[in-house]
Amino acid sequence: MPGATPKNRRYRNAKISEHRLKRVVECFARDLTAAETVKATKLSAPTVNLIFHRLRERMRDHGLFIPQFGDEPHPLKEVFNPKHRGVPEHLHDLHAIERIHRILCAQHLKGFERLPASDPKNVEKAIRLLRFNGMQPKRRYQIWEALKQAEVDTGAPATRPFDPRHIHKDSDILINELHISPQDAFFAYLWALLLRQPF
Protein backbone atom coordinates (compact mmCIF):
# COMPACT_ATOMS: atom_id res chain seq x y z
CA MET A 1 0.00 0.00 0.00
CA PRO A 2 1.53 3.38 -1.01
CA GLY A 3 2.62 5.51 1.93
CA ALA A 4 2.21 2.66 4.44
CA THR A 5 4.73 2.33 7.24
CA PRO A 6 7.07 -0.65 6.63
CA LYS A 7 6.60 -3.69 8.85
CA ASN A 8 10.16 -3.30 10.10
CA ARG A 9 11.77 0.13 9.69
CA ARG A 10 15.15 -1.13 10.87
CA TYR A 11 15.41 -4.34 8.82
CA ARG A 12 14.19 -4.01 5.25
CA ASN A 13 12.65 -7.11 3.67
CA ALA A 14 12.90 -8.87 7.01
CA LYS A 15 10.79 -11.90 7.83
CA ILE A 16 10.73 -10.88 11.49
CA SER A 17 8.83 -7.98 13.03
CA GLU A 18 10.48 -4.89 14.48
CA HIS A 19 9.40 -6.09 17.93
CA ARG A 20 11.30 -9.37 17.53
CA LEU A 21 14.32 -7.53 16.14
CA LYS A 22 14.22 -5.30 19.21
CA ARG A 23 14.43 -8.36 21.45
CA VAL A 24 17.53 -9.57 19.57
CA VAL A 25 19.20 -6.13 19.81
CA GLU A 26 18.40 -6.03 23.54
CA CYS A 27 20.13 -9.40 23.98
CA PHE A 28 23.12 -8.14 21.98
CA ALA A 29 23.29 -5.01 24.15
CA ARG A 30 23.22 -7.19 27.28
CA ASP A 31 26.27 -9.03 25.84
CA LEU A 32 24.48 -12.38 25.61
CA THR A 33 25.93 -15.03 23.33
CA ALA A 34 24.16 -16.02 20.13
CA ALA A 35 23.13 -19.32 21.75
CA GLU A 36 21.62 -17.51 24.74
CA THR A 37 19.81 -15.15 22.38
CA VAL A 38 18.37 -18.08 20.40
CA LYS A 39 16.88 -19.45 23.63
CA ALA A 40 15.53 -16.04 24.70
CA THR A 41 13.97 -15.11 21.35
CA LYS A 42 13.06 -18.52 19.84
CA LEU A 43 14.69 -17.41 16.56
CA SER A 44 17.01 -19.65 14.60
CA ALA A 45 20.77 -19.58 15.19
CA PRO A 46 21.53 -18.43 11.60
CA THR A 47 19.08 -15.50 11.98
CA VAL A 48 20.58 -14.40 15.30
CA ASN A 49 24.16 -14.74 14.04
CA LEU A 50 23.31 -12.72 10.94
CA ILE A 51 21.75 -9.91 12.99
CA PHE A 52 24.72 -9.84 15.39
CA HIS A 53 27.11 -9.68 12.44
CA ARG A 54 25.16 -6.88 10.77
CA LEU A 55 25.03 -4.88 14.01
CA ARG A 56 28.82 -5.00 14.17
CA GLU A 57 29.05 -3.97 10.51
CA ARG A 58 26.75 -0.99 11.15
CA MET A 59 29.01 0.14 14.00
CA ARG A 60 32.06 -0.25 11.77
CA ASP A 61 30.57 1.66 8.84
CA HIS A 62 28.33 4.25 10.56
CA GLY A 63 29.34 4.23 14.20
CA LEU A 64 30.87 6.71 16.62
CA PHE A 65 34.26 6.54 14.90
CA ILE A 66 35.79 4.97 11.80
CA PRO A 67 38.67 2.74 12.92
CA GLN A 68 41.81 2.15 10.90
CA PHE A 69 43.45 -1.14 11.80
CA GLY A 70 46.67 -1.89 9.96
CA ASP A 71 48.62 -5.10 9.48
CA GLU A 72 50.24 -4.94 12.91
CA PRO A 73 49.19 -7.37 15.66
CA HIS A 74 45.65 -6.54 16.65
CA PRO A 75 45.76 -3.53 19.02
CA LEU A 76 42.65 -4.55 20.98
CA LYS A 77 43.15 -8.27 21.36
CA GLU A 78 43.26 -7.98 25.14
CA VAL A 79 39.83 -6.35 25.44
CA PHE A 80 38.00 -9.37 24.00
CA ASN A 81 35.92 -10.94 26.73
CA PRO A 82 35.60 -14.75 27.00
CA LYS A 83 32.52 -14.70 24.75
CA HIS A 84 34.66 -13.52 21.83
CA ARG A 85 37.71 -15.71 22.36
CA GLY A 86 38.11 -18.03 19.41
CA VAL A 87 36.56 -15.55 16.96
CA PRO A 88 37.99 -16.09 13.44
CA GLU A 89 40.85 -13.70 12.74
CA HIS A 90 39.08 -11.97 9.84
CA LEU A 91 36.32 -10.89 12.28
CA HIS A 92 38.60 -9.54 15.00
CA ASP A 93 38.17 -5.93 13.87
CA LEU A 94 34.37 -6.15 14.04
CA HIS A 95 34.48 -7.54 17.57
CA ALA A 96 37.01 -4.95 18.67
CA ILE A 97 34.81 -2.17 17.29
CA GLU A 98 31.88 -3.59 19.25
CA ARG A 99 33.88 -3.48 22.50
CA ILE A 100 34.98 0.11 21.88
CA HIS A 101 31.39 1.19 21.23
CA ARG A 102 30.25 -0.48 24.45
CA ILE A 103 32.86 1.46 26.39
CA LEU A 104 32.06 4.78 24.71
CA CYS A 105 28.32 4.40 25.26
CA ALA A 106 28.80 3.47 28.91
CA GLN A 107 31.22 6.32 29.63
CA HIS A 108 29.92 9.17 27.51
CA LEU A 109 26.61 8.77 25.70
CA LYS A 110 24.34 7.17 28.30
CA GLY A 111 20.78 7.75 27.03
CA PHE A 112 21.59 10.28 24.32
CA GLU A 113 18.96 11.84 22.06
CA ARG A 114 19.26 14.59 19.42
CA LEU A 115 15.84 16.11 18.67
CA PRO A 116 14.93 18.93 16.23
CA ALA A 117 13.66 22.01 18.09
CA SER A 118 11.30 22.74 15.19
CA ASP A 119 8.93 20.10 16.62
CA PRO A 120 6.96 21.59 19.56
CA LYS A 121 6.66 18.11 21.11
CA ASN A 122 10.44 17.92 21.45
CA VAL A 123 10.55 21.32 23.17
CA GLU A 124 7.76 20.22 25.52
CA LYS A 125 9.69 17.03 26.32
CA ALA A 126 12.84 19.01 27.14
CA ILE A 127 10.84 21.36 29.39
CA ARG A 128 9.32 18.39 31.25
CA LEU A 129 12.77 16.88 31.82
CA LEU A 130 14.14 20.23 32.96
CA ARG A 131 11.35 20.45 35.55
CA PHE A 132 12.01 16.86 36.57
CA ASN A 133 15.68 17.75 37.18
CA GLY A 134 14.57 20.59 39.47
CA MET A 135 12.61 18.16 41.67
CA GLN A 136 15.55 15.75 42.16
CA PRO A 137 18.55 16.03 44.51
CA LYS A 138 20.80 15.14 41.57
CA ARG A 139 20.24 15.97 37.93
CA ARG A 140 19.12 12.99 35.89
CA TYR A 141 19.29 14.71 32.50
CA GLN A 142 21.77 17.01 30.79
CA ILE A 143 19.94 19.20 28.26
CA TRP A 144 21.60 21.50 25.72
CA GLU A 145 20.72 23.33 22.57
CA ALA A 146 22.95 22.72 19.54
CA LEU A 147 22.89 25.96 17.57
CA LYS A 148 22.51 26.25 13.82
CA GLN A 149 25.70 26.70 11.82
CA ALA A 150 24.96 30.36 11.01
CA GLU A 151 24.97 31.21 14.73
CA VAL A 152 28.20 29.30 15.31
CA ASP A 153 29.83 31.17 12.41
CA THR A 154 29.22 34.47 14.23
CA GLY A 155 31.42 33.29 17.08
CA ALA A 156 28.71 31.88 19.35
CA PRO A 157 29.45 28.52 21.05
CA ALA A 158 28.16 25.45 19.26
CA THR A 159 26.03 24.43 22.25
CA ARG A 160 24.45 26.21 25.18
CA PRO A 161 22.23 25.17 28.09
CA PHE A 162 18.65 24.60 27.00
CA ASP A 163 16.40 27.60 27.68
CA PRO A 164 12.90 27.41 26.16
CA ARG A 165 12.61 31.21 26.21
CA HIS A 166 15.48 31.68 23.74
CA ILE A 167 15.55 28.55 21.61
CA HIS A 168 16.13 28.68 17.84
CA LYS A 169 13.56 26.70 15.85
CA ASP A 170 16.19 25.31 13.49
CA SER A 171 18.56 24.12 16.23
CA ASP A 172 18.63 20.70 17.90
CA ILE A 173 17.91 19.76 21.50
CA LEU A 174 20.51 17.41 23.01
CA ILE A 175 19.29 15.24 25.88
CA ASN A 176 21.60 12.92 27.81
CA GLU A 177 20.11 10.65 30.48
CA LEU A 178 22.84 10.20 33.06
CA HIS A 179 21.62 7.40 35.32
CA ILE A 180 20.98 4.38 33.13
CA SER A 181 22.89 1.12 32.94
CA PRO A 182 25.66 0.62 30.36
CA GLN A 183 23.55 -2.06 28.67
CA ASP A 184 20.57 0.29 28.37
CA ALA A 185 22.82 3.03 27.02
CA PHE A 186 24.28 0.69 24.41
CA PHE A 187 20.83 -0.53 23.38
CA ALA A 188 19.52 3.03 22.99
CA TYR A 189 22.50 3.84 20.77
CA LEU A 190 22.07 0.74 18.58
CA TRP A 191 18.31 1.15 18.21
CA ALA A 192 18.71 4.76 17.07
CA LEU A 193 21.57 3.77 14.73
CA LEU A 194 19.39 1.15 13.03
CA LEU A 195 16.65 3.70 12.44
CA ARG A 196 19.19 5.87 10.57
CA GLN A 197 21.02 2.97 8.92
CA PRO A 198 18.65 -0.01 8.61
CA PHE A 199 19.79 -3.44 7.45
PDB file of all heavy atoms in Angstrom, residues 24 27-41 45 48-49 52 56 81-84 98 102:
ATOM      1  N   VAL A  24      16.179  -9.094  19.911  1.00  0.00           N
ATOM      2  CA  VAL A  24      17.528  -9.568  19.571  1.00  0.00           C
ATOM      3  C   VAL A  24      18.554  -8.486  19.898  1.00  0.00           C
ATOM      4  O   VAL A  24      19.613  -8.768  20.477  1.00  0.00           O
ATOM      5  CB  VAL A  24      17.618  -9.957  18.084  1.00  0.00           C
ATOM      6  CG1 VAL A  24      19.042 -10.347  17.719  1.00  0.00           C
ATOM      7  CG2 VAL A  24      16.661 -11.097  17.766  1.00  0.00           C
ATOM      8  N   CYS A  27      19.228  -8.319  23.547  1.00  0.00           N
ATOM      9  CA  CYS A  27      20.130  -9.398  23.976  1.00  0.00           C
ATOM     10  C   CYS A  27      21.575  -9.072  23.608  1.00  0.00           C
ATOM     11  O   CYS A  27      22.502  -9.295  24.407  1.00  0.00           O
ATOM     12  CB  CYS A  27      19.712 -10.721  23.336  1.00  0.00           C
ATOM     13  SG  CYS A  27      18.160 -11.400  23.971  1.00  0.00           S
ATOM     14  N   PHE A  28      21.783  -8.541  22.409  1.00  0.00           N
ATOM     15  CA  PHE A  28      23.124  -8.144  21.976  1.00  0.00           C
ATOM     16  C   PHE A  28      23.683  -7.081  22.919  1.00  0.00           C
ATOM     17  O   PHE A  28      24.844  -7.145  23.336  1.00  0.00           O
ATOM     18  CB  PHE A  28      23.052  -7.617  20.548  1.00  0.00           C
ATOM     19  CG  PHE A  28      24.385  -7.245  19.952  1.00  0.00           C
ATOM     20  CD1 PHE A  28      25.171  -8.200  19.325  1.00  0.00           C
ATOM     21  CD2 PHE A  28      24.845  -5.937  20.013  1.00  0.00           C
ATOM     22  CE1 PHE A  28      26.403  -7.851  18.764  1.00  0.00           C
ATOM     23  CE2 PHE A  28      26.065  -5.583  19.466  1.00  0.00           C
ATOM     24  CZ  PHE A  28      26.845  -6.538  18.839  1.00  0.00           C
ATOM     25  N   ALA A  29      22.835  -6.093  23.264  1.00  0.00           N
ATOM     26  CA  ALA A  29      23.286  -5.010  24.145  1.00  0.00           C
ATOM     27  C   ALA A  29      23.622  -5.529  25.534  1.00  0.00           C
ATOM     28  O   ALA A  29      24.509  -4.997  26.206  1.00  0.00           O
ATOM     29  CB  ALA A  29      22.208  -3.929  24.235  1.00  0.00           C
ATOM     30  N   ARG A  30      22.948  -6.589  25.973  1.00  0.00           N
ATOM     31  CA  ARG A  30      23.224  -7.193  27.282  1.00  0.00           C
ATOM     32  C   ARG A  30      24.440  -8.112  27.225  1.00  0.00           C
ATOM     33  O   ARG A  30      24.811  -8.714  28.218  1.00  0.00           O
ATOM     34  CB  ARG A  30      22.002  -7.969  27.760  1.00  0.00           C
ATOM     35  CG  ARG A  30      20.842  -7.068  28.201  1.00  0.00           C
ATOM     36  CD  ARG A  30      19.545  -7.848  28.351  1.00  0.00           C
ATOM     37  NE  ARG A  30      19.716  -9.031  29.179  1.00  0.00           N
ATOM     38  CZ  ARG A  30      18.913 -10.098  29.136  1.00  0.00           C
ATOM     39  NH1 ARG A  30      17.912 -10.133  28.283  1.00  0.00           N
ATOM     40  NH2 ARG A  30      19.130 -11.118  29.935  1.00  0.00           N
ATOM     41  N   ASP A  31      25.065  -8.223  26.042  1.00  0.00           N
ATOM     42  CA  ASP A  31      26.272  -9.031  25.838  1.00  0.00           C
ATOM     43  C   ASP A  31      25.998 -10.526  25.983  1.00  0.00           C
ATOM     44  O   ASP A  31      26.871 -11.295  26.400  1.00  0.00           O
ATOM     45  CB  ASP A  31      27.385  -8.602  26.799  1.00  0.00           C
ATOM     46  CG  ASP A  31      28.778  -8.771  26.187  1.00  0.00           C
ATOM     47  OD1 ASP A  31      28.857  -9.052  24.970  1.00  0.00           O
ATOM     48  OD2 ASP A  31      29.770  -8.646  26.915  1.00  0.00           O
ATOM     49  N   LEU A  32      24.779 -10.951  25.617  1.00  0.00           N
ATOM     50  CA  LEU A  32      24.480 -12.381  25.606  1.00  0.00           C
ATOM     51  C   LEU A  32      25.126 -13.024  24.383  1.00  0.00           C
ATOM     52  O   LEU A  32      25.342 -12.372  23.365  1.00  0.00           O
ATOM     53  CB  LEU A  32      22.970 -12.612  25.562  1.00  0.00           C
ATOM     54  CG  LEU A  32      22.146 -12.077  26.728  1.00  0.00           C
ATOM     55  CD1 LEU A  32      20.691 -12.530  26.586  1.00  0.00           C
ATOM     56  CD2 LEU A  32      22.709 -12.521  28.072  1.00  0.00           C
ATOM     57  N   THR A  33      25.404 -14.304  24.478  1.00  0.00           N
ATOM     58  CA  THR A  33      25.927 -15.032  23.329  1.00  0.00           C
ATOM     59  C   THR A  33      24.796 -15.274  22.331  1.00  0.00           C
ATOM     60  O   THR A  33      23.608 -15.133  22.657  1.00  0.00           O
ATOM     61  CB  THR A  33      26.506 -16.386  23.753  1.00  0.00           C
ATOM     62  OG1 THR A  33      25.447 -17.197  24.272  1.00  0.00           O
ATOM     63  CG2 THR A  33      27.595 -16.219  24.802  1.00  0.00           C
ATOM     64  N   ALA A  34      25.168 -15.692  21.129  1.00  0.00           N
ATOM     65  CA  ALA A  34      24.155 -16.022  20.129  1.00  0.00           C
ATOM     66  C   ALA A  34      23.287 -17.178  20.617  1.00  0.00           C
ATOM     67  O   ALA A  34      22.068 -17.175  20.428  1.00  0.00           O
ATOM     68  CB  ALA A  34      24.820 -16.358  18.800  1.00  0.00           C
ATOM     69  N   ALA A  35      23.899 -18.166  21.253  1.00  0.00           N
ATOM     70  CA  ALA A  35      23.134 -19.322  21.749  1.00  0.00           C
ATOM     71  C   ALA A  35      22.132 -18.891  22.819  1.00  0.00           C
ATOM     72  O   ALA A  35      20.982 -19.354  22.837  1.00  0.00           O
ATOM     73  CB  ALA A  35      24.084 -20.377  22.308  1.00  0.00           C
ATOM     74  N   GLU A  36      22.542 -18.004  23.714  1.00  0.00           N
ATOM     75  CA  GLU A  36      21.624 -17.506  24.739  1.00  0.00           C
ATOM     76  C   GLU A  36      20.490 -16.690  24.115  1.00  0.00           C
ATOM     77  O   GLU A  36      19.345 -16.743  24.573  1.00  0.00           O
ATOM     78  CB  GLU A  36      22.400 -16.647  25.750  1.00  0.00           C
ATOM     79  CG  GLU A  36      23.339 -17.449  26.634  1.00  0.00           C
ATOM     80  CD  GLU A  36      24.306 -16.586  27.404  1.00  0.00           C
ATOM     81  OE1 GLU A  36      24.613 -15.459  26.951  1.00  0.00           O
ATOM     82  OE2 GLU A  36      24.774 -17.029  28.469  1.00  0.00           O
ATOM     83  N   THR A  37      20.819 -15.952  23.052  1.00  0.00           N
ATOM     84  CA  THR A  37      19.808 -15.146  22.376  1.00  0.00           C
ATOM     85  C   THR A  37      18.804 -16.028  21.640  1.00  0.00           C
ATOM     86  O   THR A  37      17.607 -15.725  21.616  1.00  0.00           O
ATOM     87  CB  THR A  37      20.486 -14.165  21.400  1.00  0.00           C
ATOM     88  OG1 THR A  37      21.395 -13.342  22.133  1.00  0.00           O
ATOM     89  CG2 THR A  37      19.462 -13.288  20.707  1.00  0.00           C
ATOM     90  N   VAL A  38      19.276 -17.124  21.064  1.00  0.00           N
ATOM     91  CA  VAL A  38      18.374 -18.077  20.400  1.00  0.00           C
ATOM     92  C   VAL A  38      17.343 -18.598  21.407  1.00  0.00           C
ATOM     93  O   VAL A  38      16.143 -18.647  21.125  1.00  0.00           O
ATOM     94  CB  VAL A  38      19.168 -19.244  19.775  1.00  0.00           C
ATOM     95  CG1 VAL A  38      18.246 -20.392  19.382  1.00  0.00           C
ATOM     96  CG2 VAL A  38      19.949 -18.754  18.569  1.00  0.00           C
ATOM     97  N   LYS A  39      17.794 -18.949  22.599  1.00  0.00           N
ATOM     98  CA  LYS A  39      16.877 -19.446  23.634  1.00  0.00           C
ATOM     99  C   LYS A  39      15.892 -18.363  24.072  1.00  0.00           C
ATOM    100  O   LYS A  39      14.709 -18.635  24.299  1.00  0.00           O
ATOM    101  CB  LYS A  39      17.663 -19.937  24.848  1.00  0.00           C
ATOM    102  CG  LYS A  39      18.418 -21.235  24.621  1.00  0.00           C
ATOM    103  CD  LYS A  39      19.141 -21.667  25.878  1.00  0.00           C
ATOM    104  CE  LYS A  39      19.935 -22.949  25.648  1.00  0.00           C
ATOM    105  NZ  LYS A  39      20.700 -23.358  26.847  1.00  0.00           N
ATOM    106  N   ALA A  40      16.374 -17.132  24.195  1.00  0.00           N
ATOM    107  CA  ALA A  40      15.528 -16.042  24.698  1.00  0.00           C
ATOM    108  C   ALA A  40      14.501 -15.575  23.684  1.00  0.00           C
ATOM    109  O   ALA A  40      13.420 -15.112  24.054  1.00  0.00           O
ATOM    110  CB  ALA A  40      16.400 -14.863  25.130  1.00  0.00           C
ATOM    111  N   THR A  41      14.836 -15.669  22.394  1.00  0.00           N
ATOM    112  CA  THR A  41      13.968 -15.107  21.351  1.00  0.00           C
ATOM    113  C   THR A  41      13.227 -16.156  20.530  1.00  0.00           C
ATOM    114  O   THR A  41      12.313 -15.804  19.790  1.00  0.00           O
ATOM    115  CB  THR A  41      14.792 -14.246  20.380  1.00  0.00           C
ATOM    116  OG1 THR A  41      15.755 -15.072  19.715  1.00  0.00           O
ATOM    117  CG2 THR A  41      15.488 -13.114  21.111  1.00  0.00           C
ATOM    118  N   ALA A  45      19.381 -19.995  15.001  1.00  0.00           N
ATOM    119  CA  ALA A  45      20.772 -19.584  15.192  1.00  0.00           C
ATOM    120  C   ALA A  45      21.303 -18.795  13.992  1.00  0.00           C
ATOM    121  O   ALA A  45      21.971 -17.767  14.183  1.00  0.00           O
ATOM    122  CB  ALA A  45      21.643 -20.798  15.478  1.00  0.00           C
ATOM    123  N   VAL A  48      19.948 -15.181  14.222  1.00  0.00           N
ATOM    124  CA  VAL A  48      20.578 -14.403  15.302  1.00  0.00           C
ATOM    125  C   VAL A  48      22.013 -14.047  14.935  1.00  0.00           C
ATOM    126  O   VAL A  48      22.446 -12.902  15.107  1.00  0.00           O
ATOM    127  CB  VAL A  48      20.531 -15.194  16.632  1.00  0.00           C
ATOM    128  CG1 VAL A  48      21.430 -14.546  17.681  1.00  0.00           C
ATOM    129  CG2 VAL A  48      19.086 -15.284  17.134  1.00  0.00           C
ATOM    130  N   ASN A  49      22.765 -15.008  14.417  1.00  0.00           N
ATOM    131  CA  ASN A  49      24.156 -14.744  14.042  1.00  0.00           C
ATOM    132  C   ASN A  49      24.243 -13.678  12.950  1.00  0.00           C
ATOM    133  O   ASN A  49      25.137 -12.820  12.980  1.00  0.00           O
ATOM    134  CB  ASN A  49      24.840 -16.031  13.574  1.00  0.00           C
ATOM    135  CG  ASN A  49      25.291 -16.897  14.739  1.00  0.00           C
ATOM    136  OD1 ASN A  49      25.886 -16.420  15.687  1.00  0.00           O
ATOM    137  ND2 ASN A  49      24.972 -18.176  14.681  1.00  0.00           N
ATOM    138  N   PHE A  52      23.544 -10.249  14.607  1.00  0.00           N
ATOM    139  CA  PHE A  52      24.716  -9.842  15.389  1.00  0.00           C
ATOM    140  C   PHE A  52      25.817  -9.328  14.454  1.00  0.00           C
ATOM    141  O   PHE A  52      26.443  -8.292  14.728  1.00  0.00           O
ATOM    142  CB  PHE A  52      25.237 -11.017  16.217  1.00  0.00           C
ATOM    143  CG  PHE A  52      24.505 -11.246  17.518  1.00  0.00           C
ATOM    144  CD1 PHE A  52      23.236 -10.742  17.738  1.00  0.00           C
ATOM    145  CD2 PHE A  52      25.092 -11.978  18.535  1.00  0.00           C
ATOM    146  CE1 PHE A  52      22.564 -10.948  18.942  1.00  0.00           C
ATOM    147  CE2 PHE A  52      24.451 -12.196  19.742  1.00  0.00           C
ATOM    148  CZ  PHE A  52      23.182 -11.683  19.953  1.00  0.00           C
ATOM    149  N   ARG A  56      27.398  -5.366  14.110  1.00  0.00           N
ATOM    150  CA  ARG A  56      28.825  -4.997  14.171  1.00  0.00           C
ATOM    151  C   ARG A  56      29.252  -4.252  12.906  1.00  0.00           C
ATOM    152  O   ARG A  56      30.040  -3.307  12.975  1.00  0.00           O
ATOM    153  CB  ARG A  56      29.677  -6.250  14.389  1.00  0.00           C
ATOM    154  CG  ARG A  56      29.437  -6.894  15.741  1.00  0.00           C
ATOM    155  CD  ARG A  56      30.318  -8.126  15.966  1.00  0.00           C
ATOM    156  NE  ARG A  56      30.024  -8.714  17.254  1.00  0.00           N
ATOM    157  CZ  ARG A  56      29.423  -9.893  17.435  1.00  0.00           C
ATOM    158  NH1 ARG A  56      29.089 -10.633  16.384  1.00  0.00           N
ATOM    159  NH2 ARG A  56      29.176 -10.350  18.650  1.00  0.00           N
ATOM    160  N   ASN A  81      36.329 -10.178  25.556  1.00  0.00           N
ATOM    161  CA  ASN A  81      35.920 -10.936  26.733  1.00  0.00           C
ATOM    162  C   ASN A  81      35.822 -12.417  26.354  1.00  0.00           C
ATOM    163  O   ASN A  81      35.967 -12.774  25.184  1.00  0.00           O
ATOM    164  CB  ASN A  81      34.606 -10.391  27.316  1.00  0.00           C
ATOM    165  CG  ASN A  81      33.427 -10.584  26.390  1.00  0.00           C
ATOM    166  OD1 ASN A  81      33.483 -11.336  25.425  1.00  0.00           O
ATOM    167  ND2 ASN A  81      32.339  -9.897  26.689  1.00  0.00           N
ATOM    168  N   PRO A  82      35.595 -13.303  27.324  1.00  0.00           N
ATOM    169  CA  PRO A  82      35.598 -14.748  27.001  1.00  0.00           C
ATOM    170  C   PRO A  82      34.607 -15.122  25.898  1.00  0.00           C
ATOM    171  O   PRO A  82      34.846 -16.081  25.163  1.00  0.00           O
ATOM    172  CB  PRO A  82      35.215 -15.389  28.335  1.00  0.00           C
ATOM    173  CG  PRO A  82      35.708 -14.424  29.364  1.00  0.00           C
ATOM    174  CD  PRO A  82      35.498 -13.064  28.758  1.00  0.00           C
ATOM    175  N   LYS A  83      33.512 -14.377  25.781  1.00  0.00           N
ATOM    176  CA  LYS A  83      32.522 -14.697  24.752  1.00  0.00           C
ATOM    177  C   LYS A  83      33.124 -14.635  23.353  1.00  0.00           C
ATOM    178  O   LYS A  83      32.703 -15.352  22.457  1.00  0.00           O
ATOM    179  CB  LYS A  83      31.355 -13.703  24.858  1.00  0.00           C
ATOM    180  CG  LYS A  83      30.215 -13.994  23.917  1.00  0.00           C
ATOM    181  CD  LYS A  83      29.136 -12.932  23.994  1.00  0.00           C
ATOM    182  CE  LYS A  83      29.454 -11.775  23.087  1.00  0.00           C
ATOM    183  NZ  LYS A  83      28.306 -10.886  22.865  1.00  0.00           N
ATOM    184  N   HIS A  84      34.107 -13.745  23.158  1.00  0.00           N
ATOM    185  CA  HIS A  84      34.656 -13.515  21.825  1.00  0.00           C
ATOM    186  C   HIS A  84      35.968 -14.251  21.581  1.00  0.00           C
ATOM    187  O   HIS A  84      36.517 -14.163  20.495  1.00  0.00           O
ATOM    188  CB  HIS A  84      34.849 -12.018  21.591  1.00  0.00           C
ATOM    189  CG  HIS A  84      33.570 -11.246  21.692  1.00  0.00           C
ATOM    190  ND1 HIS A  84      32.448 -11.568  20.983  1.00  0.00           N
ATOM    191  CD2 HIS A  84      33.253 -10.154  22.424  1.00  0.00           C
ATOM    192  CE1 HIS A  84      31.484 -10.715  21.264  1.00  0.00           C
ATOM    193  NE2 HIS A  84      31.941  -9.859  22.132  1.00  0.00           N
ATOM    194  N   GLU A  98      33.007  -3.416  18.323  1.00  0.00           N
ATOM    195  CA  GLU A  98      31.883  -3.594  19.251  1.00  0.00           C
ATOM    196  C   GLU A  98      32.292  -3.232  20.670  1.00  0.00           C
ATOM    197  O   GLU A  98      31.589  -2.492  21.365  1.00  0.00           O
ATOM    198  CB  GLU A  98      31.385  -5.043  19.209  1.00  0.00           C
ATOM    199  CG  GLU A  98      30.325  -5.343  20.253  1.00  0.00           C
ATOM    200  CD  GLU A  98      30.100  -6.826  20.471  1.00  0.00           C
ATOM    201  OE1 GLU A  98      30.463  -7.639  19.595  1.00  0.00           O
ATOM    202  OE2 GLU A  98      29.564  -7.183  21.540  1.00  0.00           O
ATOM    203  N   ARG A 102      30.831  -0.226  23.126  1.00  0.00           N
ATOM    204  CA  ARG A 102      30.249  -0.476  24.447  1.00  0.00           C
ATOM    205  C   ARG A 102      30.863   0.461  25.493  1.00  0.00           C
ATOM    206  O   ARG A 102      30.155   1.026  26.324  1.00  0.00           O
ATOM    207  CB  ARG A 102      30.475  -1.938  24.864  1.00  0.00           C
ATOM    208  CG  ARG A 102      29.621  -2.930  24.116  1.00  0.00           C
ATOM    209  CD  ARG A 102      29.883  -4.358  24.601  1.00  0.00           C
ATOM    210  NE  ARG A 102      29.145  -5.324  23.828  1.00  0.00           N
ATOM    211  CZ  ARG A 102      27.864  -5.650  24.033  1.00  0.00           C
ATOM    212  NH1 ARG A 102      27.201  -5.089  25.022  1.00  0.00           N
ATOM    213  NH2 ARG A 102      27.261  -6.537  23.273  1.00  0.00           N
TER     214      ARG A 102
END
